[in-house]
Amino acid sequence: AQSVSQHNHHVILSEAASLELGCNYSYGGTVNLFWYVQYPGQHLQLLLKYFSGDPLVKGIKGFEAEFIKSKFSFNLRKPSVQWSDTAEYFCAVCPPGRRALTFGSGTRLQVQP
Amino acid sequence: EPEVTQTPSHQVTQMGQEVILRCVPISNHLYFYWYRQILGQKVEFLVSFYNNEISEKSEIFDDQFSVERPDGSNFTLKIRSTKLEDSAMYFCASRGTGDETQYFGPGTRLLVL
């Protein structure tokens, strides 16, 4: 079945560590790709998005993601995490010809001070 | 910054009762969505709405569900006869014309007893 996979369900890091969260999707064709973040007690917020162009996209709060078409991947990265990055991170894909988002299962990131 | 708002934040209801979840999308947006997240599971698409009609729906969105835009600002999701398995967080989202990004509300946590 076509889907979005996030490989890491729970990640624990110390402050200043580097972060990479994996996201793979199984749709063919042109897709729009998103990373959303949900801080504790808050709603889903857009971190960054990719529609076309430069496959390395920069988002808010120092996050970036790289679209690798050949690997059907859109991994999220941050060189140095902070305690305030503790949140749940969702990869989402808008498949070809649709407007609805398909979400991955989410990755819970816990940053320890 | 404009935000999507949702009311109520929490609702507890008895099985078989009707519930209406309310959303106020961002004011100049024309595309509206409902998603839900059962505890511990993925965020799932329910329905999208444009130009006063449903444009897409998932298999979850059966005859027990309906959506409406009763006035120029509200967008509602009605569940006619709630079931235990309808317990979830329900998210509303909206999107503007020419922008593929969906902006999410804070969610309504529905508990069916």
Side-chain angles (χ1 to χ4, degrees):
Chain A
Q2 296 178 319
S3 65
V4 180
S5 300
Q6 290 183 243
H7 317 296
N8 315 100
H9 297 295
H10 191 191
V11 173
I12 302 174
L13 295 173
S14 298
E15 278 193 310
S18 64
L19 171 72
E20 181 160 0
L21 301 182
C23 174
N24 286 88
Y25 61 94
S26 60
Y27 300 94
T30 302
V31 295
N32 294 330
L33 298 156
F34 305 83
W35 275 97
Y36 283 87
V37 61
Q38 188 174 30
Y39 297 103
Q42 298 189 28
H43 60 282
L44 288 161
Q45 300 174 40
L46 182 70
L47 264 183
L48 47 77
K49 58 190 177 185
Y50 174 80
F51 297 158
S52 64
D54 187 345
L56 183 62
V57 292
K58 296 194 183 299
I60 61 171
K61 305 188 181 187
F63 286 90
E64 63 180 33
E66 185 175 13
F67 169 56
I68 303 179
K69 189 174 182 179
S70 61
K71 294 185 178 180
F72 296 88
S73 70
F74 189 55
N75 291 355
L76 181 71
R77 300 194 292 246
K78 186 171 183 178
S80 175
V81 296
Q82 301 172 307
W83 177 79
S84 57
D85 293 325
T86 294
E88 188 145 18
Y89 293 80
F90 295 92
C91 180
V93 174
C94 192
R98 296 188 63 199
R99 289 289 181 260
L101 294 175
T102 299
F103 282 83
S105 54
T107 296
R108 187 175 300 278
L109 172 65
Q110 186 178 345
V111 180
Q112 297 177 330
Chain B
E1 184 176 324
E3 289 186 339
V4 177
T5 59
Q6 289 184 243
T7 55
S9 58
H10 295 79
Q11 179 148 6
V12 181
T13 190
Q14 296 291 322
M15 189 171 57
Q17 294 296 304
E18 175 183 285
V19 296
I20 298 176
L21 310 183
R22 291 182 168 79
C23 169
V24 179
I26 293 173
S27 63
N28 61 346
H29 284 184
L30 299 178
Y31 298 85
F32 314 117
Y33 306 83
W34 284 101
Y35 293 82
R36 78 172 186 191
Q37 185 179 29
I38 296 171
L39 189 63
Q41 298 186 24
K42 294 185 179 186
V43 177
E44 302 171 291
F45 167 72
L46 292 177
V47 65
S48 61
F49 191 87
Y50 170 71
N51 199 25
N52 282 322
E53 61 183 28
I54 291 173
S55 48
E56 188 178 354
K57 62 182 181 179
S58 72
E59 59 275 10
I60 301 169
F61 193 86
D62 61 21
D63 292 343
Q64 291 300 312
F65 291 89
S66 62
V67 289
E68 192 179 26
R69 188 156 164 81
D71 54 42
S73 59
N74 288 283
F75 178 53
T76 63
L77 174 70
K78 182 192 292 187
I79 309 175
R80 286 192 186 79
S81 177
T82 49
K83 302 187 283 285
L84 296 176
E85 53 265 38
D86 293 328
S87 295
M89 181 74 95
Y90 287 81
F91 294 104
C92 173
S94 70
R95 176 174 73 86
T97 305
D99 180 3
E100 299 296 326
T101 304
Q102 295 179 29
Y103 297 89
F104 284 79
T108 293
R109 187 172 296 281
L110 176 66
L111 178 61
V112 182
L113 301 177

